Amino acid sequence: MTATVEPGILLEDIRKVLGALVKAVEATSEQEPVDIVVPISKTAEFIKFVKKVENETGVRMVSFGHAGDGNVHLCVVRGERSDEEWREKLHEVMSRIYGKAYELGGVTSGEHGIGVSKRKYYLRETPREILDRLTEVTREDFHQYSITWGAQNFREALAEKQSRLMGRSIDPNSEIVVTCGSTEAIMAAMMTVVNPGDKVIVFSPFYENYGADAILSGAEPIYVPLIPPEFGFDRNALEQAFAQNPRALILCNPSNPCGKVFTYDELKFIAGLAEKYDVFVITDEVYEHIIYKPNTHVYFSSLPGMYERTISCSSLSKTYSITVWQLGYIIAPPHIIDAARKVHDFLRQHRTIIVERLRRQIFPVSALCLQQNACANPTK
């Protein structure tokens, strides 16, 4: 997966800050990680600016650029500063950081109080058809709770789409649960198959929630490095991790934050280990339709014998540029979904049924991209 950024700068930053957010927490930062989104072509330039500010101010900042969507995770470390000095330094640093993001045409978010927005920034604007349908639905009678595992018509639309892409018939009534975004989907999947005291394999670098999800489930993460610059993995190291008898492996494909697209051969190797050691595979496939040629996305559950041990998690957020709508889902065999629904009921019961009712407009949009399952230029 390649993007129009300066790969040398990103890779150097990744080498220095593998597991950046975990390290930031260990450094006792007193500021929550801030997401700063800049145009994807400006990600490397922005990270370079962050390093410049860090050198000039003496304030340690842990930054990690994600080439997939222009998102930069930033955490400012307080260190030994007094309250007064910390407030002054934080304001100085973040004013410069936010100003640069604005200059580059990006958006910043966070609780520091200087958030700015200049223009639309995501890979593509939210399709007009979806927004028009949203306006219609707000005037219709869908303002009460939906079924906890997702509105019937939405699950049917998901089943139709994913059956075509995954190469198998998916039952909307027994193999899907709709969640509050893919983040909840992964947490629910983890709590469905993992027990306290179990181990979970996590490829590193990783989306910051994976390690936390394992720990919240009472499990111990086993980190297996993805090695720059291609972010492949050492097969011996991975089998050593499997030999520790983990309960599950988390597979983010395409990978956040390094953008790696796992090859069919790599997935087959992982599948062989999962079968050999009887391990569940929890997939995060939220970037499934944002693929740069010549890469192709292979659904792990579509590999021979893998559907029964795969919990597939994804959402509509990235594909349709509707991240705030929190439309995620889990697809898995009925016996796993039955347990996942029970977990979901006590995590977060309902999504917004209004957005679930949009299914007739959501899924036809970008149909060509979805049918081909590959985008030569996903910015268009």
Side-chain angles (χ1 to χ4, degrees), residues 42 82 103 131 158 187 213 218 242 251-252 287 327 334 356:
K42 302 294 185 180
S82 65
E103 175 189 326
L131 298 179
L158 276 173
M187 185 74 244
D213 288 348
F242 270 94
L251 177 67
C252 184
Y287 294 101
L327 280 173
E356 290 185 26

Side-chain angles (χ1 to χ4, degrees), residues 82-347:
S82 65
D83 290 345
E84 182 177 352
E85 184 183 8
W86 170 239
R87 284 193 297 269
E88 182 179 336
K89 278 291 185 183
L90 183 61
H91 185 88
E92 174 192 351
V93 166
M94 296 311 294
S95 294
R96 293 183 64 183
I97 295 297
Y98 286 172
K100 186 65 174 181
Y102 182 88
E103 175 189 326
L104 295 176
V107 172
T108 61
S109 61
E111 298 183 357
H112 184 58
I114 321 176
V116 295
S117 175
K118 186 175 182 182
R119 62 173 73 99
K120 296 183 185 299
Y121 58 90
Y122 227 80
L123 292 178
R124 59 176 69 85
E125 294 185 6
T126 303
R128 176 52 54 185
E129 297 90 339
I130 295 177
L131 298 179
D132 290 344
R133 178 58 182 152
L134 175 61
T135 301
E136 295 175 4
V137 171
T138 59
R139 301 191 184 99
E140 298 173 8
D141 190 20
F142 302 110
H143 298 282
Q144 306 304 321
Y145 290 138
S146 64
I147 299 171
T148 59
W149 51 83
Q152 181 71 31
N153 69 329
F154 185 60
R155 283 183 284 114
E156 289 174 354
L158 276 173
E160 179 183 353
K161 168 182 174 286
Q162 293 304 121
S163 292
R164 171 165 47 85
L165 297 176
M166 290 180 167
R168 64 175 298 118
S169 179
I170 296 170
D171 187 340
N173 297 314
S174 64
E175 296 178 283
I176 296 177
V177 57
V178 180
T179 60
C180 297
S182 60
T183 296
E184 193 232 325
I186 295 163
M187 185 74 244
M190 186 85 70
M191 297 183 73
T192 297
V193 299
V194 173
N195 294 314
D198 286 340
K199 296 180 179 180
V200 176
I201 298 174
V202 180
F203 285 112
S204 178
F206 54 90
Y207 172 54
E208 63 264 28
N209 281 43
Y210 298 156
D213 288 348
I215 293 169
L216 288 171
S217 301
E220 176 188 347
I222 305 172
Y223 298 110
V224 175
L226 295 174
I227 305 166
E230 298 298 329
F231 293 98
F233 56 86
D234 183 301
R235 297 193 174 197
N236 290 330
L238 183 60
E239 179 146 23
Q240 288 174 12
F242 270 94
Q244 296 181 47
N245 297 315
R247 182 66 170 169
L249 173 144
I250 299 178
L251 177 67
C252 184
N253 183 36
S255 179
N256 177 358
C258 64
K260 175 184 174 53
V261 179
F262 286 79
T263 66
Y264 183 82
D265 184 58
E266 288 173 326
L267 295 175
K268 281 282 291 180
F269 181 78
I270 296 170
L273 293 179
E275 184 173 12
K276 177 180 178 180
Y277 291 96
D278 192 21
V279 172
F280 286 104
V281 176
I282 300 171
T283 68
D284 180 353
E285 297 174 284
V286 70
Y287 294 101
E288 60 199 301
H289 300 304
I290 304 175
I291 302 291
Y292 291 75
K293 291 182 178 180
N295 298 295
T296 58
H297 178 67
V298 177
Y299 291 92
F300 190 82
S301 65
S302 70
L303 297 177
M306 286 301 107
Y307 186 74
E308 292 301 316
R309 65 175 67 254
T310 303
I311 303 96
S312 302
C313 303
S314 191
S315 84
L316 279 59
S317 296
K318 305 302 191 296
T319 303
Y320 300 100
S321 296
I322 48 174
T323 55
V324 75
W325 291 17
Q326 294 288 283
L327 280 173
Y329 55 89
I330 299 172
I331 295 177
H335 67 284
I336 295 178
I337 288 297
D338 183 61
R341 285 178 174 178
K342 294 180 176 67
V343 173
H344 167 69
D345 279 347
F346 293 98
L347 283 176

Side-chain angles (χ1 to χ4, degrees), residues 61-95:
M61 290 183 282
V62 183
S63 59
F64 201 97
H66 179 221
D69 57 12
N71 195 27
V72 175
H73 297 296
L74 177 68
C75 201
V76 183
V77 180
R78 174 170 177 165
E80 302 296 325
R81 293 178 176 85
S82 65
D83 290 345
E84 182 177 352
E85 184 183 8
W86 170 239
R87 284 193 297 269
E88 182 179 336
K89 278 291 185 183
L90 183 61
H91 185 88
E92 174 192 351
V93 166
M94 296 311 294
S95 294

